Amino acid sequence: MRCFTVVLVIRIILQYSLLQKMALNIPGLVATIVFYVITLATGIWAAWKTKKKEKNAKQSEVAMVGGRNMNIFVGLFTTAGGLFFVNPMRSKSYVTMMDPLQETYGNTMGTLLFLPALIGDVFWFAAILSALGATMSVILDIRGYLAIIISTCTVILYSLLGGLYSVAYTDVIQLVFMMVSLWICVPFALLNSATESIYYTAVNEFYQVPWIGKLETNYLGRWLDELLYLALGSIPWQIYFQRVLAASSSRQARLTSYFAGFGCVFMVIPSVLIGAVAASTDWNQTSYGLPTPNERGESSMILPIVLQYLCPTYVSVAGLGAIAAAVMSSADSALLSASSMLAHNIYRKILRKKATEKEVVCIMRVSMVVFGAAAAGLAFLSNSVYSLWFLSGELVYALLFPQLFCVLFIPNTNTYGSAAGFLFGFLLRLLAGEPSLKIPPVIHYPGCSLVDGVYIQLFPFKTFTMLLTLGTIVAVSYLVAFLFKRNILPHGWDVCSVIKESEASVPLPEID
């Protein structure tokens, strides 16, 4: 299987390069193929390990949460965040993030809440595939769609074979490779003759403006909004909870999250340094030339540009491997996340409640292929898919975070509050507009201004929407419960059955 995959990859790329008469980067191609072979081999080994685990646990739970026996070392390389959410989720032995939502709000509402989570995973998969395609087109000089197709097939293959074990163990290889490769690239970029000291250019304009910017007072609300969005909006994702729920205990899940958080800080340092180098470089001294990447609108491609034009070939190849590792590490997690929720929360809990373990795993595998193919197709949309992912990520923050917070920490919220909060939050977010998708705002929050023909919201409207959604869930839940318990609304109207028999028929006190 591995030999066939390697031969197929080489044949496709070489044939295409000959047809297009492109200057193929042979060392880069070889190094990339070696990395893909190592990743695939690790995934296959993990799949073999999965077969052994299935003898003592449910087949579907082994695929989705590793039989709840993931060791802390593997979990450390695949998790970050979640200080307060870990214990209540792991202690109740949930399988997916959607379980407590369905348990509290019912299957119908659970299905509605599943949609933003699914869309977010698929768009995220597509966005990072698009980034990989763009990077390989710069460094290897091949068309990006080849990288997208090959990466998608590789991820789907080892995810199909081993589920969470394949995803988690390949994550270890990928993240170690990513850390080592990026750190190798940093000194070469820093010491390039076209680059000035980043210490000096941090606050002084030399070739370009200083790379440490200034926080304008009128943008303070927007920065705060982005900070909270990244900190809290990253919690309600199955990608994270599948690792938490795979831990052998609540304590291990917490420890894994804490240490992984420090790991994230360490891993972001090379990217910051490379960005600083790009802002400190006289691009006229390189074959890239002027204008600068920022002036050409290529800031989003700065990592592959630095690797290609400021580093030796063998170093840029290592950097390419780091990018491929990061992409595949995220892509396989997103694929497993979406397929797990569909198989467990939709198929088993709603469509076929008596489904066997083999059925659930089969549905999970079929959905992996479907979602992977959909993500690969969306990746060809390039910039559009980034905008769609950002919007879906904001919907997860505005809609799913308040729902998950309520079911775990606020007692007695119900389906009516959940539905009202979802609809109200969704409407508010859409009315705020989205410049990247050319959706004009209907609601002009304080500080909204027109810049180059585009409305920019400076008010922290994302967090504001999230808080209003949270407040709506709580207020409507308690109000509806009060009205039913006091017989102000007839119990026949309680279509969601949120009021139990023992709680009903509490009349209002008579007024003389």
Side-chain angles (χ1 to χ4, degrees):
M1 177 69 75
R2 294 195 297 272
C3 293
F4 173 77
T5 304
V6 173
V7 171
L8 182 62
V9 169
I10 295 174
R11 185 175 179 181
I12 290 173
I13 294 178
L14 289 179
Q15 285 182 344
Y16 184 84
S17 298
L18 289 173
L19 287 173
Q20 299 296 321
K21 298 180 180 180
M22 299 174 72
L24 182 64
N25 186 333
I26 297 297
L29 173 62
V30 172
T32 303
I33 291 173
V34 168
F35 168 72
Y36 275 65
V37 169
I38 293 173
T39 300
L40 190 57
T42 303
I44 293 172
W45 171 81
W48 170 78
K49 185 179 178 70
T50 298
K51 297 300 180 184
K52 296 175 64 177
K53 294 288 184 182
E54 286 176 355
K55 296 178 181 179
N56 303 316
K58 292 182 179 180
Q59 188 178 3
S60 61
E61 284 203 7
V62 171
M64 295 178 191
V65 291
R68 303 192 193 280
N69 195 32
M70 193 68 65
N71 67 64
I72 192 169
F73 174 76
V74 175
L76 180 62
F77 280 86
T78 58
T79 311
L83 177 62
F84 300 105
F85 289 77
V86 170
N87 193 58
M89 290 291 290
R90 179 60 186 87
S91 62
K92 294 184 179 180
S93 298
Y94 292 127
V95 176
T96 74
M97 175 189 73
M98 301 306 299
D99 284 349
L101 295 170
Q102 281 185 310
E103 184 181 276
T104 303
Y105 300 140
N107 288 334
T108 302
M109 195 63 214
T111 302
L112 186 61
L113 295 174
F114 165 70
L115 294 178
L118 171 64
I119 294 170
D121 282 337
V122 173
F123 281 146
W124 169 238
F125 192 176
I128 54 181
L129 283 175
S130 180
L132 178 63
T135 300
M136 286 196 174
S137 68
V138 171
I139 297 180
L140 294 186
D141 203 9
I142 65 172
R143 291 287 181 171
Y145 77 82
L146 289 175
I148 291 171
I149 293 172
I150 293 167
S151 299
T152 303
C153 292
T154 304
V155 168
I156 291 175
L157 180 58
Y158 69 72
S159 298
L160 282 174
L161 293 174
L164 182 60
Y165 268 105
S166 288
V167 170
Y169 279 94
T170 52
D171 277 357
V172 174
I173 300 297
Q174 291 156 355
L175 294 182
V176 168
F177 193 83
M178 180 175 66
M179 285 190 292
V180 173
S181 299
L182 280 181
W183 276 108
I184 288 175
C185 298
V186 167
F188 288 93
L190 286 170
L191 297 175
N192 189 283
S193 59
T195 302
E196 182 60 40
S197 167
I198 63 172
Y199 177 78
Y200 177 77
T201 57
V203 293
N204 296 286
E205 183 171 351
F206 200 68
Y207 301 123
Q208 302 174 63
V209 296
W211 59 271
I212 294 183
K214 295 180 179 179
L215 180 59
E216 302 292 339
T217 306
N218 57 327
Y219 278 86
L220 187 59
R222 189 171 181 179
W223 278 100
L224 179 62
D225 199 23
E226 295 295 336
L227 174 64
L228 293 172
Y229 164 55
L230 292 173
L232 302 178
S234 61
I235 294 175
W237 291 83
Q238 173 63 15
I239 292 175
Y240 166 66
F241 281 110
Q242 67 190 9
R243 303 312 204 280
V244 168
L245 299 173
S248 59
S249 66
S250 298
R251 180 176 180 274
Q252 180 180 312
R254 289 196 303 272
L255 288 175
T256 300
S257 296
Y258 300 154
F259 288 121
F262 290 109
C264 287
V265 174
F266 176 75
M267 291 170 66
V268 80
I269 295 174
S271 298
V272 173
L273 293 176
I274 288 172
V277 166
S280 308
T281 298
D282 180 6
W283 290 100
N284 198 36
Q285 296 184 37
T286 70
S287 56
Y288 182 84
L290 293 176
T292 66
N294 185 46
E295 292 169 339
R296 295 188 193 186
E298 296 182 349
S299 297
S300 60
M301 292 289 295
I302 203 63
L303 177 56
I305 290 173
V306 168
L307 295 176
Q308 178 72 359
Y309 295 99
L310 299 182
C311 297
T313 301
Y314 62 92
V315 175
S316 66
V317 167
L320 174 62
I323 297 170
V327 167
M328 294 178 71
S329 174
S330 295
D332 55 20
S333 297
L335 188 63
L336 180 64
S337 167
S339 59
S340 296
M341 289 188 291
L342 178 69
H344 177 73
N345 297 101
I346 304 301
Y347 184 76
R348 177 167 20 206
K349 288 194 171 185
I350 299 176
L351 300 179
R352 186 169 166 78
K353 297 181 180 180
K354 295 182 179 180
T356 63
E357 289 294 307
K358 287 186 178 180
E359 278 185 71
V360 174
V361 172
C362 181
I363 293 297
M364 184 177 171
R365 288 172 175 167
V366 171
S367 62
M368 282 183 183
V369 176
V370 173
F371 294 150
L378 287 169
F380 300 135
L381 297 177
S382 188
N383 292 332
S384 299
V385 76
Y386 288 100
S387 302
L388 290 170
W389 177 74
F390 281 125
L391 180 59
S392 62
E394 290 177 15
L395 290 176
V396 169
Y397 176 48
L399 304 180
L400 277 188
F401 177 78
Q403 305 276 357
L404 189 63
F405 184 87
C406 286
V407 298
L408 295 179
F409 302 110
I410 300 180
N412 301 322
T413 54
N414 56 47
T415 310
Y416 300 107
S418 175
F422 184 92
L423 295 176
F424 185 55
F426 182 73
L427 182 63
L428 274 181
R429 179 57 193 91
L430 290 185
L431 292 179
E434 180 54 48
S436 59
L437 295 176
K438 297 181 180 179
I439 302 175
V442 176
I443 299 177
H444 291 250
Y445 289 100
C448 182
S449 57
L450 189 64
V451 179
D452 297 329
V454 178
Y455 281 101
I456 304 297
Q457 302 275 19
L458 299 182
F459 183 78
F461 70 95
K462 299 172 190 174
T463 302
F464 180 69
T465 302
M466 183 273 292
L467 292 174
L468 284 181
T469 302
L470 179 64
T472 301
I473 296 171
V474 176
V476 173
S477 294
Y478 282 75
L479 176 61
V480 171
F482 173 82
L483 294 176
F484 278 126
K485 288 179 181 179
R486 295 304 181 112
N487 290 324
I488 298 174
L489 292 178
H491 294 169
W493 291 8
D494 185 13
V495 293
C496 297
S497 302
V498 299
I499 303 301
K500 299 177 182 178
E501 293 276 338
S502 58
E503 297 175 329
S505 301
V506 181
L508 283 170
E510 296 184 1
I511 301 176
D512 295 329

